[in-house]
Amino acid sequence: MKIIDRLNQGKVTLSFEVFPNKYSKNFEAVANKAKEIARLHPEFMSVTYGAGGGTSQYTVNIAKEIQEKEGVDVLAHLTCVSSTKEKVHEMLESFEANGIKNIMALRGDLPETEVPHDYEHASELIKEIKEYNPEFCIGGACYPEGHPEAKNKDEDIYYLKKKVEAGCDFLTTQMFFDNSIFYNFLYRAREAGIEVPIVAGIMPITRKEQVKRAIQLSGSSVPSRFFSMVDTFGDNEKAMKQAGIIYASEQIIDLIANGVKHIHVYTMNNPDVAEGIMNNVSEIIK
């Protein structure tokens, strides 16, 4: 089933993300964790794609297994910034051959080395996917606090609208830790005429060492109560894990209570975290 059809059903949805490891020796372990998460019956699952296609075959293999063996619809990521058009078309052919109908179209992080310049923006990739096969359902990324490379929030919204105009069916946000930032972003997007579903991306922080990396990746502002949680429980592994799951669950509950219907959780391949959140909101998302 197309993800956009699931998002348009009018009900609350909870979905999860997993990411293949670039090392083949870890593939089986990641695949097994992905299947564990799939058995929680999320609305759908997304499977990431390494820079330059570094995990492209793993992305396809895990996506296919989740979809065929666990019966969960899959959103396969595809990045373009360091890819050639030939590589992109090769991946689109692979997705088709393996029954994958949903694609998360991303520019990807700019590499430090010289790479092909067939694509500069995700909107170019989205347009190409739609031209290749209009039946693909395409998701795109958005940034509640603005893309780190945008000059300002207005420029960020301008380029976001270009993604939608190119054929993006829905958007998923980068992680955020303060819901008020998301509400402000949602208002600005709707004011600009962006009407596609916007899925709120939530990352549970369950280990102290995740904090710095998560903030660097997302550029997110972090409320003082988040730092208080990490300061108090960060050196106690079990307590930090529980606190992080609760913090993310509270974010999700607040979002749903304020009319946000679609939540996507960045699980970091951790079935326990996915299950903890699912248990905390099981009656809320019915």
Side-chain angles (χ1 to χ4, degrees), residues 14-33:
L14 182 66
S15 54
F16 296 130
E17 178 175 289
V18 295
F19 62 94
N21 193 289
K22 63 183 177 180
Y23 300 109
S24 59
K25 64 182 180 181
N26 295 326
F27 171 76
E28 199 62 38
V30 174
N32 288 335
K33 288 181 179 180

Side-chain angles (χ1 to χ4, degrees), residues 107-175:
R107 187 198 70 175
D109 296 329
L110 292 171
E112 295 179 0
T113 56
E114 185 65 25
V115 295
H117 289 282
D118 290 9
Y119 304 93
E120 297 292 336
H121 303 285
S123 56
E124 297 167 18
L125 175 61
I126 292 165
K127 184 174 183 290
E128 185 139 332
I129 295 170
K130 278 295 183 185
E131 289 174 351
Y132 176 89
N133 184 349
E135 293 304 308
F136 274 128
C137 173
I138 305 176
C142 56
Y143 299 78
E145 296 183 71
H147 192 284
E149 294 172 27
K151 293 177 184 176
N152 52 52
K153 290 181 179 179
D154 287 340
E155 183 181 78
D156 178 63
I157 291 290
Y158 169 80
Y159 282 107
L160 186 60
K161 194 169 183 180
K162 288 189 72 170
K163 289 185 187 180
V164 175
E165 291 169 347
C168 185
D169 295 295
F170 66 95
L171 298 163
T172 302
T173 76
Q174 176 63 273
M175 70 187 83

Side-chain angles (χ1 to χ4, degrees), residues 30-248:
V30 174
N32 288 335
K33 288 181 179 180
K35 285 185 273 191
E36 280 187 62
I37 293 170
R39 288 166 193 155
L40 297 170
H41 306 294
E43 193 70 26
F44 64 89
M45 288 177 63
S46 70
V47 183
T48 66
Y49 182 91
T55 64
S56 58
Q57 192 54 51
Y58 300 152
T59 298
V60 173
N61 291 348
I62 290 177
K64 184 179 181 181
E65 284 210 14
I66 291 171
Q67 198 156 269
E68 292 185 356
K69 295 184 179 179
E70 306 303 331
V72 176
D73 285 324
V74 174
L75 175 66
H77 290 213
L78 180 62
T79 62
C80 67
V81 70
S82 56
S83 285
T84 62
K85 288 182 181 288
E86 289 76 17
K87 177 63 177 178
V88 165
H89 279 253
E90 177 188 317
M91 288 307 302
L92 295 177
E93 289 170 7
S94 181
F95 290 157
E96 281 185 320
N98 288 279
I100 297 166
K101 301 175 182 177
N102 304 290
I103 300 173
M104 186 70 168
L106 306 164
R107 187 198 70 175
D109 296 329
L110 292 171
E112 295 179 0
T113 56
E114 185 65 25
V115 295
H117 289 282
D118 290 9
Y119 304 93
E120 297 292 336
H121 303 285
S123 56
E124 297 167 18
L125 175 61
I126 292 165
K127 184 174 183 290
E128 185 139 332
I129 295 170
K130 278 295 183 185
E131 289 174 351
Y132 176 89
N133 184 349
E135 293 304 308
F136 274 128
C137 173
I138 305 176
C142 56
Y143 299 78
E145 296 183 71
H147 192 284
E149 294 172 27
K151 293 177 184 176
N152 52 52
K153 290 181 179 179
D154 287 340
E155 183 181 78
D156 178 63
I157 291 290
Y158 169 80
Y159 282 107
L160 186 60
K161 194 169 183 180
K162 288 189 72 170
K163 289 185 187 180
V164 175
E165 291 169 347
C168 185
D169 295 295
F170 66 95
L171 298 163
T172 302
T173 76
Q174 176 63 273
M175 70 187 83
F176 58 91
F177 302 101
D178 184 343
N179 286 3
S180 63
I181 290 169
F182 173 78
Y183 298 137
N184 180 271
F185 164 75
L186 193 60
Y187 174 80
R188 289 186 289 107
R190 298 309 187 211
E191 280 288 292
I194 297 171
E195 297 297 335
V196 298
I198 297 179
V199 182
I202 299 296
M203 176 178 276
I205 299 296
T206 57
R207 292 181 290 112
K208 184 177 183 179
E209 55 268 28
Q210 284 181 295
V211 176
K212 185 177 180 180
R213 177 65 173 158
I215 294 172
Q216 284 177 339
L217 283 173
S218 65
S220 294
S221 300
V222 179
S224 58
R225 68 188 186 94
F226 179 90
F227 284 120
S228 295
M229 175 188 75
V230 176
D231 288 343
T232 303
F233 306 114
D235 294 325
N236 182 324
E237 184 177 335
K238 290 182 178 179
M240 184 63 211
K241 184 175 183 179
Q242 185 176 51
I245 290 171
I246 291 171
Y247 187 97

